[in-house]
Amino acid sequence: MIGLVAGPEAGVLVARAQALAVLRIRSAALAVALLPAAAAVVLAAGIAMGRIPDGGAWSTARWAVLGVAVLTLALTAGVAAVVARARPALSPTVAIPEEKAPDLYRLVRDLAERLEVPAPSAMALTPDCDSWLEDRTHPAHCAGQGAANGPRPRRALARPRRRSTAAPVLVIGSPFLWWMRVAELRALLAPVVAGTGPAAHPDIAAARRFVRGLDAAVAVAAGRPALAFVGGAARLLLSSCRAHAAEMERGVAAAASERAQSVDYGLRIVAQEQVGLAYAGWDRLLNRVALPAWRMGRWPSRLDAGVVSALTELSRRDRLAEGFASRLGERPACDLLEEPGAIDEAASLLAARLFHGGPAESGPDWSPVAWSQYPEEVVDRKWRLEAARLHRVLDVLDALPALTPAPAPPAGMAAAPTVARVLERLVGPAAGGVAEELGARLGAEVAREAAQEELAAKRSAYGTGADPWVDGLSPLFPLQPPRSGRELLADHVTAMVCCAAVDTAGAAPGLDWLDGPALLVGGARRPGLAPTVLSLIEEGDDAPLRAWLGEVGVRPEKPVRLV
């Protein structure tokens, strides 16, 4: 029958069939739970009607079955209560009330009208290159907050309230609003908005609620011995439903995609190309530009505006992206917001919390930084801090004669912070051992400082009502794994050289939108430093670096400013 149906109805029929399979599993579980009670009723009725002898083994069986029935019903009620009241997790987002984006709401409603589906109930932004619909009709999500507000603690039980019947919330990737044009965003959102149609089907909605309730119940029971049975039952049911739920979502996606083909289909192909480009630029911006600032306690307040500069630069360098920058003359989708700067700032802070684990609010050690201030406030400070850390570790190594090829400074005096001192340590017969020891000590120093920062952040967040899911001791989605000792040593030696270039050769700190901190000599980025530093660290060969220093005009024997 399904094979004879064409168009989005075919996908809906598949999704509904799988939803019914999920609901049958729920019904079967309930039937199994009621089986002892049914047996107890049959025994009691038989004895009352005289068809089963009263007394003896039958009486014992009746009371035994009744006890099992009462215990089973109690456990079933406990599992059902936890599943019904457990608060499903929400994606961390930035709410967009309609008064702050009336044009965006109007665009989405017109799109829903063209697709003949219900319009989303609200909209929110996520600091990622993705868009989806999210059901926030659970009573815990509706009580005391707007439909598109940020997440609530996951491992909690909500007070029973009346469930809302509102449509899902439309979550939009914030980089899309700044990089994509209005027409491209409309085409990109069409398949997502089309998903509100299947989401409104009673069977599909009930199946989704059941699966989300099981997932939330597993989270509630985790780490709580008293709820071990609840967790086990929820995991068993979730495992039984998994295949059907996955097929149901595939059917919903197929139906939404088929329905959206009638709206801006040709433009959607172009928009999908922009998705890949936006993801590449966003990833590089977070890893190479935002991450150094986050590690210093500063968070760039205009990440989404920065992604436009990063992607424009990428389109200039990459032949595959040529021509994409020419679209920038058209109206950007961020014009649909009344205050794009404020929304960008909120999304930038959320990105710092998700990808780095920063605090929820600004403070003395966690403050925003504008792009115009980035070179001076982040790049130069980063270099100075790393150079100071490197020389602190070198001072410790002065007490280790076996690893000290250079002569120790006079008693009571610290060695001058110069590039020459670093070169002397990393060249010679013991260079390999010195480099290994330096890398290990730098790693320990960085780990110690990170632990102190986490402890301070935990203390400052205590009692402030911060979200324990987002504002934990570590980021939800870390960008980079821990760096090795050699990587840390290379970064610190590079920072020392850059400080010397700024102090002795008239260079300046700069920002490269794709590569992050950059050294500017004569107003232009100076390449070639990284390979010479690697030659020094890995091979103990300082000739390439000394040649580079000579070309730039850096004086290695001159002390540099570390603060």
Side-chain angles (χ1 to χ4, degrees), residues 298-319:
R298 307 297 299 273
W299 53 277
S301 58
R302 295 292 186 271
L303 279 179
D304 292 301
V307 79
V308 178
S309 299
L311 292 174
T312 304
E313 180 66 16
L314 180 63
S315 65
R316 186 182 68 84
R317 297 184 191 179
D318 192 342
R319 290 186 309 166

Side-chain angles (χ1 to χ4, degrees), residues 79 82 214 217-222 224 226-237:
V79 173
V82 173
L214 292 176
V218 170
V220 168
R224 300 182 181 181
L227 296 178
F229 179 80
V230 174
R235 280 190 294 271
L236 178 61
L237 290 173

Side-chain angles (χ1 to χ4, degrees), residues 481-507:
R483 292 170 290 176
S484 67
R486 286 193 175 272
E487 290 174 334
L488 285 171
L489 180 56
D491 290 343
H492 285 68
V493 172
T494 300
M496 182 64 199
V497 172
C498 291
C499 289
V502 172
D503 291 349
T504 68

